[in-house]
């Protein structure tokens, strides 16, 4: 008689990561409204009650996906900026890291673009990503223009975040546009515009 190898237990953190990766894939492929918890559970290889025990609800799972994306985005842009050898390189590397992240995490980006109006909680979570990146960019700009009014720095950062989002949407429609090109287009305006103010 053949004996079946015992199933290995997966730790809670690893299981949640598996669920989130599966949920991002299912949500981005089917859209939030058409995606089911059954489909996510099947992809992970667990029962639906396991999903509810970890995230409480379908919307809770979506919010967790958005939170994971926010954390990952800040990490990759921070690492890129930290490797820079000057203010211009810092902004360039941070911007390029944003576009590279969208290429690698295309399903997550598709999810964020398509699910902005599900609920107030979802809208708030998405706006938190913008606030996070705005604060991060304002910090980088402060290095370039140390005497600038902090309120002006936040204004500039909002302009950059908005421009990056629109460039990302454009890239989604036109795959010929590379991350390098999008970064250069942003730098053409931002770095040139800051030139009279840089020390």
């Amino acid at each position: 008689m053949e004996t079946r190898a015992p199933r290995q237990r997966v730790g809670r953190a690893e299981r949640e990561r598996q669920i989130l990766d599966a949920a991002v894939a299912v949500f981005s492929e089917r859209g939030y409204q058409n995606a089911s918890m059954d489909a996510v559970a099947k992809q992970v290889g667990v029962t639906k009650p396991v999903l509810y025990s970890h995230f409480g609800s379908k919307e809770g799972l979506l919010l967790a996906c958005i939170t994971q994306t926010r954390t990952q985005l800040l990490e990759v842009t921070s690492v890129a900026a930290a490797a820079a050898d000057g203010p211009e390189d810092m902004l360039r590397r941070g911007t390029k890291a944003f576009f590279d992240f969208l290429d690698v995490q295309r399903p997550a980006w598709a999810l964020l673009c398509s699910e902005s109006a599900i609920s107030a909680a979802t809208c708030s979570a998405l706006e938190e990503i913008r606030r996070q990146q705005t604060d991060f960019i304002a910090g980088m700009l402060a290095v370039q223009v140390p005497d600038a009014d902090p309120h002006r720095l936040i204004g500039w950062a909002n302009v950059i975040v908005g421009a990056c989002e629109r460039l990302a949407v454009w890239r989604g429609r036109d795959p010929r546009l590379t991350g390098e090109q999008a970064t250069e287009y942003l730098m053409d305006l931002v770095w040139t515009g800051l030139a009279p103010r840089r020390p």
Side-chain angles (χ1 to χ4, degrees):
M1 184 172 110
E2 184 180 344
T3 58
R4 188 178 294 175
R7 292 180 64 185
Q8 290 187 331
R9 290 184 60 83
V10 176
R12 184 175 181 86
E14 175 62 16
R15 178 65 76 206
E16 288 187 354
R17 186 194 64 75
Q18 292 173 352
I19 293 170
L20 289 173
D21 289 346
V24 167
V26 171
F27 288 157
S28 64
E29 179 184 342
R30 304 184 183 189
Y32 176 78
Q33 302 297 348
N34 295 324
S36 68
M37 294 291 266
D38 285 318
V40 176
K42 182 178 180 181
Q43 186 155 326
V44 181
V46 299
T47 61
K48 190 162 64 171
V50 171
L51 303 187
Y52 287 105
S53 72
H54 281 267
F55 300 102
S57 66
K58 183 178 169 183
E59 184 182 32
L61 180 55
L62 174 63
L63 292 172
C65 290
I66 294 172
T67 298
Q68 174 181 260
T69 301
R70 185 181 73 217
T71 301
Q72 292 169 340
L73 179 57
L74 181 60
E75 181 179 349
V76 299
T77 50
S78 297
V79 168
D85 60 9
E88 180 180 6
D89 193 38
M90 185 182 297
L91 184 59
R92 185 183 304 279
R93 283 176 181 259
T95 303
K96 178 64 166 50
F98 168 76
F99 291 118
D100 287 345
F101 176 80
L102 300 191
D103 287 339
V104 173
Q105 300 289 344
R106 191 171 297 276
W109 173 243
L111 177 68
L112 299 182
C113 284
S114 63
E115 305 298 350
S116 60
I118 290 173
S119 68
T122 306
C123 289
S124 177
L126 292 172
E127 186 57 31
E128 185 56 37
I129 294 179
R130 294 185 182 97
R131 279 196 296 268
Q132 167 189 277
Q133 293 307 113
T134 298
D135 290 343
F136 174 69
I137 292 169
M140 287 197 297
L141 293 176
V143 175
Q144 299 175 31
V145 193
D147 296 332
D149 172 48
H151 198 256
R152 185 178 292 272
L153 291 174
I154 292 292
W156 290 339
N158 273 287
V159 169
I160 292 171
V161 167
C164 284
E165 282 191 26
R166 293 309 306 167
L167 284 167
V169 170
W170 182 26
R171 288 189 67 215
R173 293 195 303 263
D174 186 352
R176 297 171 301 175
L177 180 65
T178 67
E180 288 85 357
Q181 287 174 307
T183 300
E184 287 306 314
Y185 296 159
L186 183 91
M187 294 297 295
D188 286 345
L189 288 178
V190 173
W191 194 251
T192 302
L194 289 174
R197 299 175 177 274
R198 295 197 304 269

